[in-house]
Amino acid sequence: MRFILKFAALAAACMAAYPAHATNGYFLPGFGFRSQGMGGVGIAYGRDSLSTAANPANAVNTGMRGDLGFGVFNPERHATVGVPAGGGTAFGFSGNTESDAKYFILPEMGFSMPLDDKWHVALAVVGNGGMNTTYPENFFSFFGDPPKDAKIGVDMMQLLVPITAAYKVNENHSIGASLVLAETRFRAYGLEAFRNFDKDLGFAISADPDHLTGQGFDYSYGAGVRLGWQGEFLDDRLTLGLTYATKTYMTKFDKYRGLFAEQGGFDIPENYGIGIAVKPVKGLIVAADVLRINYADVPSIGNPGMTNIAGTLGVPSLATGTNPNQYELGNDQGMGFGWTNQTVYKFGVQYGVNNRLQVRSGYNYGKSPIPNNQLTFNLLAPATVEKHYSLGFTYKANENLEVTGTYMYAASHSQSGCKNNIVNCVEFDMHQNVFAMSLGWVLDPGPGELDEYGDSDWGGINFDGWYAGLGVGQSHYRDLASSIDSAVASVGATSTTSASPLSEGWKVYGGYQFNKYLALEGGYTNLNDAHANTTITTPSAGTIRTNVATDAWSLAAVGTYPITDKFSLMGKVGAAYVLTEITAKATGSGSGTTASVAVGDDSYRPVYGVGVNYALLDNLNLRAEYERFDLKDINIDLITAGVAMKF
């Protein structure tokens, strides 16, 4: 047990570096990528160790296994404020901007095991959810304070570590309980306009403006309890499940006690649900969950924010209230996001095609918890998406290894409204993509798990020699600033450019190993984007903000030289079809006018690199690489680390 707790602590510390992002309010649509492939169901049906986070009673069905997965989360968020949204404000707040942070890594891990015929235990390390925005244009700039080009946003990640015990009461009924340890990481930046309200306008918006924004990351810790039950009926063809999670009481964000209600309080809301799973024929599972999340009971989330619409719930203009005002940020009744409680509906289908392959799909719906008169603060966390569609599969490579893949799409959904206090008119929208892969090491399958595959033998492709992998890391746009200055000089002007050349990068790939020395490999690489700010010094003053976004499809020969049985060096050379989109926004300081231009530049370019492989298991390699994409005017370096699985 000491090893288990140390392992969980280490995993939590590593995962804290990665923000999680949610789609049911700020909760993830389901616990585990396998569950998300079925729309997030997990109360009445779950077969991997991550499912115990949805219902502790699932532990009696998961057997002895370990799971490890990584996903790439791609949220696209856009906000329009003030004049561009159809109405100005007395504070000069305006903007039309898209969040820069678009790609995030979502890891997960867990294990489960039976102690005897009755008792089962499990531990999972999962993201509960979060929210992140990084807007390059500050729509809360108070006539230049902070500067319009100062970034604004929030970054919140919430991690859960449920430690579970489940008991099989009899052949048909099981119960379980989890002690849920929790950690939340948070920061906010770019909100200096609100910090200075007292100085600039004579009334305060925060009870502690020195702890409102720009304090770096702060951490909150806490614990709660989740209970669960499952019952089997009609000769195990029907399963019902119930789950209840108490509010998770968290320590306060002391650095942001002037932002969140109750002097920095941010508990995890109570939630509960019911699920049903039906097995009409062998290999077919139809499951559905209904989950209730009580966001409104957490003051920082549920307290109403600002509105000036007569006769509606909300905080009136603070300028007309008492001083100090009970609704100031940070007070017990301080303004929050104004979220309502949310009911989430989940539906999923799984079918065992043959004795090695399962396919699944799902749908998830949760009405946005944000009222249209509460849009002001929710610009920072536009949790607007409602409809989610997912596909997935599990391939049993051998008796002990399962490979699961999932894709989820959250359809674009926008919210808008005028007469929102301070900003007046506002519109924001979001859509999301999730690509994920997880591996399951099955030492002893749970009861009935093998029956959920089909009867026929696998008649598909012979996968011997094939492999697939995922790598994540950092891209570096070389010579970006000098290339822009050279382009400006070519038209007879002079400039000074500062660049932000580093960004997240990731890739997915597959290949065929001809022998131990040679492979052919192809894949998709997202090099994300880089930014540059250019000041034109002659002939007329002005600024240009440039964004360069790049992705590539590549095919390369990969040479491998074994050093030991487990460790090998590798090199690659090949070609890539590189898609580059350059967006430049120019502002003339004299006239205040702006102009934008977007240019695409797609071409075939060489790619080459070196790396190392380490055989962690017979089917699993750890892999680190350096690659260079040789573009016309700039070079892009990519350093990644990840896993490659042999089939």
Side-chain angles (χ1 to χ4, degrees), residues 396-441:
K396 188 167 64 172
N398 55 50
E399 294 304 314
N400 300 117
L401 178 63
E402 290 181 344
V403 183
T404 295
T406 295
Y407 170 69
M408 175 174 281
Y409 172 68
S412 179
H413 182 251
S414 64
Q415 289 187 243
S416 61
C418 289
K419 296 185 179 180
N420 279 271
N421 209 343
I422 291 185
V423 296
N424 191 5
C425 294
V426 60
E427 180 177 2
F428 50 63
D429 61 81
M430 176 193 290
H431 69 272
Q432 302 166 344
N433 296 280
V434 178
F435 306 87
M437 183 179 73
S438 64
L439 305 177
W441 287 270

Side-chain angles (χ1 to χ4, degrees), residues 537-549:
T537 53
T538 61
S540 60
T543 61
I544 301 174
R545 179 173 175 82
T546 305
N547 182 80
V548 183

Side-chain angles (χ1 to χ4, degrees), residues 1-144:
M1 182 60 72
R2 180 178 301 176
F3 168 76
I4 292 171
L5 294 177
K6 287 184 177 180
F7 176 76
L10 175 62
C14 294
M15 292 176 67
Y18 302 100
H21 302 272
T23 52
N24 292 143
Y26 83 80
F27 277 27
L28 285 169
F31 290 112
F33 298 129
R34 185 166 177 163
S35 165
Q36 291 177 30
M38 292 181 69
V41 298
I43 298 177
Y45 177 74
R47 290 295 182 263
D48 63 6
S49 60
L50 287 311
S51 68
T52 60
N55 186 346
N58 274 326
V60 303
N61 298 314
T62 57
M64 180 180 290
R65 62 180 294 142
D67 296 278
L68 173 67
F70 293 90
V72 177
F73 182 80
N74 167 223
E76 302 277 354
R77 292 140 297 167
H78 182 267
T80 307
V81 184
V83 174
T89 76
F91 305 103
F93 292 158
S94 68
N96 186 355
T97 182
E98 184 175 307
S99 178
D100 282 341
K102 298 180 181 180
Y103 296 96
F104 306 92
I105 303 303
L106 302 177
E108 63 178 25
M109 62 182 71
F111 77 90
S112 62
M113 61 181 292
L115 299 180
D116 55 32
D117 292 341
K118 295 287 188 179
W119 285 99
H120 302 253
V121 294
L123 183 144
V125 182
V126 294
N128 186 52
M131 45 196 174
N132 174 287
T133 49
T134 306
Y135 294 113
E137 181 182 3
N138 197 314
F139 42 72
F140 284 150
S141 175
F142 183 65
F143 298 107

Side-chain angles (χ1 to χ4, degrees), residues 2-322:
R2 180 178 301 176
F3 168 76
I4 292 171
L5 294 177
K6 287 184 177 180
F7 176 76
L10 175 62
C14 294
M15 292 176 67
Y18 302 100
H21 302 272
T23 52
N24 292 143
Y26 83 80
F27 277 27
L28 285 169
F31 290 112
F33 298 129
R34 185 166 177 163
S35 165
Q36 291 177 30
M38 292 181 69
V41 298
I43 298 177
Y45 177 74
R47 290 295 182 263
D48 63 6
S49 60
L50 287 311
S51 68
T52 60
N55 186 346
N58 274 326
V60 303
N61 298 314
T62 57
M64 180 180 290
R65 62 180 294 142
D67 296 278
L68 173 67
F70 293 90
V72 177
F73 182 80
N74 167 223
E76 302 277 354
R77 292 140 297 167
H78 182 267
T80 307
V81 184
V83 174
T89 76
F91 305 103
F93 292 158
S94 68
N96 186 355
T97 182
E98 184 175 307
S99 178
D100 282 341
K102 298 180 181 180
Y103 296 96
F104 306 92
I105 303 303
L106 302 177
E108 63 178 25
M109 62 182 71
F111 77 90
S112 62
M113 61 181 292
L115 299 180
D116 55 32
D117 292 341
K118 295 287 188 179
W119 285 99
H120 302 253
V121 294
L123 183 144
V125 182
V126 294
N128 186 52
M131 45 196 174
N132 174 287
T133 49
T134 306
Y135 294 113
E137 181 182 3
N138 197 314
F139 42 72
F140 284 150
S141 175
F142 183 65
F143 298 107
D145 182 19
K148 193 71 174 176
D149 61 357
K151 290 187 176 182
I152 181 174
V154 297
D155 188 346
M156 190 192 86
M157 182 281 301
Q158 204 164 82
L159 178 74
L160 301 183
V161 182
I163 303 171
T164 300
Y167 181 72
K168 193 169 183 63
V169 179
N170 54 42
E171 288 301 315
N172 296 319
H173 296 276
S174 304
I175 56 175
S178 299
L179 172 63
V180 183
L181 307 179
E183 177 193 35
T184 306
R185 186 186 71 172
F186 177 82
R187 68 168 174 157
Y189 50 93
L191 301 173
E192 287 80 8
F194 298 138
R195 187 181 63 194
N196 298 331
F197 258 40
D198 190 26
K199 177 183 68 176
D200 295 331
L201 298 175
F203 67 91
I205 198 171
S206 171
D208 189 348
D210 291 335
H211 294 87
L212 169 65
T213 186
Q215 301 298 301
F217 282 111
D218 199 3
Y219 295 83
S220 173
Y221 306 92
V225 173
R226 181 179 288 276
L227 306 174
W229 163 83
Q230 280 185 355
E232 304 281 352
F233 305 93
L234 303 178
D235 295 327
D236 297 340
R237 291 183 178 273
L238 171 68
T239 303
L240 299 178
L242 297 172
T243 184
Y244 172 76
T246 67
K247 180 186 287 188
T248 302
Y249 295 92
M250 307 292 290
T251 60
K252 295 185 177 182
F253 288 114
D254 187 63
K255 291 183 180 180
Y256 292 96
R257 60 180 180 267
L259 175 62
F260 291 130
E262 300 180 309
Q263 299 81 50
F266 204 101
D267 294 333
I268 300 175
E270 169 194 58
N271 57 91
Y272 46 87
I274 184 172
I276 182 173
V278 181
K279 304 175 184 178
V281 297
K282 176 178 167 55
L284 178 63
I285 309 292
V286 181
D289 289 354
V290 180
L291 181 71
R292 180 73 166 178
I293 308 172
N294 290 336
Y295 288 120
D297 293 343
V298 178
S300 291
I301 305 172
N303 281 3
M306 292 175 289
T307 179
N308 58 8
I309 304 175
T312 62
L313 179 65
V315 177
S317 172
L318 295 178
T320 62
T322 60

